[in-house]
Amino acid sequence: MAEILNTGEAMERALALLDAGQILAIPTETVYGLAGDATSGTAVARIFEAKGRPSFNPLIAHVSGLVMATEFARIDPLSEKLAQAFWPGPLTVVLPLLAGSAMHPLVTAGMDTVALRMPQGFAASLIAALGRPLAAPSANVSGRISATTAQAVAADLGDRIPLIVDGGPTHVGVESTIVKVEGETLRLLRPGGIAAEVIEAITNRPLLRDASAGIEAPGMMASHYAPDAGMRLAVAAVQPGEALLAFGPRRAADWETAATMLNLSPSGNLREAAANLFAFMQELDRSGAATIAVEPIPHAGLGEAINDRLRRAAAPRPA
Ligand code: TXA
Ligand code: MG
């Protein structure tokens, strides 16, 4: 089983593992990441292997700031403005890859663009100390719910990795928002921890959401966050024996017939709901109920990312 060390005591061991091309789980503000040296093919392959993730899926490379980003990508003024506004934080920008950069092609799945973000806290210090970017998808087996605690990582990947760095529960709780600048156009490739409206306000332009974005970010596969239980979304009424994922102060009809209930945010706060989302889905899944009924979540702000994750969890499963 993986060793679990707190952020205060893990730095040296984490650096030694990364230098040896090994992978480990680290906390970020969004979700736990399964991290490896993004310039090492062995390390990146280990990530795919541990996750059981389809290899056509490109990974986010985490950097220690804009200076490191410029070693790997060509940064246009609008992307730079976004990075300055939101880094360190839950924003990923997709940028043209610099030809001849040390980024391993497994990270970008061979594409000529690279997704970069600067995370908060231990992860940023680790990257700065290593001096190289870290490829880090969410630290869960492919297709399962993203881990927001070290314990959730251990349950999922504990027998496949040597070290889990424990930074406590992540405070954002959903993955980063992914955007891409295309000329004058700003595209939303994945809704996430920074609300689209906030990005629109800072850049003073609309974030385009279109169907083709789903193809461009292949991680947006239909069934990406799949619990064992079936999912019913935006329920008006609960059916007997269902597990209820509630939201806000008002209950769906027949809520008393639920086998068990967790409320993402009793006060109706979407940030609190995002932070609780994956852990509550996992807990309801563990209850053994055949179906998780989910109350309607408003689509504004972080609600867009929450509803996106819920839709994926409810999507038909691959056979
Ligand atoms: O919050 C996060 O972003 C977390 C934490 C650990 O930082 N990381 C994360 O990484 O969610 P991952 O690998 O699970 O998600 C990567 C997403 C996928 O949807 C992938 O398809 C997309 O980023 N992506 C990566 N490179 C891309 C590129 N060059 N163009 C478009 N999409 C890209
Ligand atoms: Mg993931």
Side-chain angles (χ1 to χ4, degrees):
M1 277 304 275
E3 184 181 3
I4 301 183
L5 295 175
N6 293 321
T7 47
E9 57 187 3
M11 184 61 77
E12 224 174 293
R13 173 106 173 94
L15 281 171
L17 285 168
L18 291 169
D19 259 329
Q22 296 290 340
I23 59 173
L24 64 152
I26 55 170
T28 83
E29 74 281 22
T30 58
V31 297
Y32 275 72
L34 182 59
D37 181 346
T39 67
S40 158
T42 315
V44 181
R46 282 199 170 106
I47 293 174
F48 286 117
E49 186 180 41
K51 278 189 70 89
R53 165 179 273 198
S55 59
F56 49 75
N57 205 352
L59 305 177
I60 293 172
H62 297 70
V63 293
S64 57
L66 264 168
V67 172
M68 185 180 279
T70 58
E71 293 173 36
F72 297 92
R74 188 152 41 75
I75 305 175
D76 61 277
L78 187 52
S79 295
E80 182 171 342
K81 180 174 181 174
L82 286 168
Q84 256 150 7
F86 297 110
W87 285 4
L91 181 81
T92 296
V93 287
V94 173
L95 297 161
L97 185 66
L98 272 191
S101 90
M103 188 66 63
H104 194 277
L106 258 186
V107 175
T108 59
M111 298 192 297
D112 56 7
T113 54
V114 62
L116 297 180
R117 102 170 175 97
M118 178 189 182
Q120 292 172 10
F122 177 85
S125 311
L126 179 63
I127 297 160
L130 184 71
R132 298 190 290 279
L134 289 179
S138 50
N140 53 276
V141 171
S142 189
R144 299 231 188 108
I145 296 166
S146 300
T148 55
T149 62
Q151 291 67 37
V153 178
D156 215 18
L157 292 170
D159 56 353
R160 304 187 193 186
I161 57 177
L163 176 65
I164 299 169
V165 182
D166 188 351
T170 63
H171 70 264
V172 176
V174 292
E175 292 90 338
S176 59
T177 303
I178 305 181
V179 300
K180 185 181 184 190
V181 174
E182 286 175 354
E184 288 305 298
T185 304
L186 189 56
R187 290 220 288 155
L188 179 67
L189 300 187
R190 177 177 78 179
I194 291 176
E197 292 90 330
V198 177
I199 296 171
E200 290 178 325
I202 289 229
T203 57
N204 201 21
R205 64 188 77 199
L207 254 183
L208 243 65
R209 308 158 169 82
D210 61 5
S212 68
I215 296 158
E216 182 143 16
M220 307 291 287
M221 286 181 298
S223 173
H224 193 61
Y225 298 88
D228 291 328
M231 305 271 298
R232 279 201 317 126
L233 304 186
V235 300
V238 177
Q239 287 165 15
E242 287 183 325
L244 178 60
L245 188 60
F247 174 82
R250 277 186 307 278
R251 293 287 65 75
D254 304 325
W255 67 273
E256 311 88 334
T257 66
T260 177
M261 172 173 82
L262 289 173
N263 195 328
L264 289 169
S265 170
S267 68
N269 180 308
L270 286 165
R271 189 168 300 265
E272 182 186 22
N276 286 330
L277 182 64
F278 289 124
F280 283 14
M281 277 169 59
Q282 282 163 342
E283 194 171 331
L284 292 180
D285 204 24
R286 275 198 300 270
S287 78
T291 306
I292 300 172
V294 187
E295 289 183 351
I297 314 278
H299 209 64
L302 289 185
E304 185 173 359
I306 295 171
N307 282 315
D308 173 77
R309 303 304 185 274
L310 287 169
R311 235 184 314 107
R312 281 170 214 294
R317 312 291 157 74

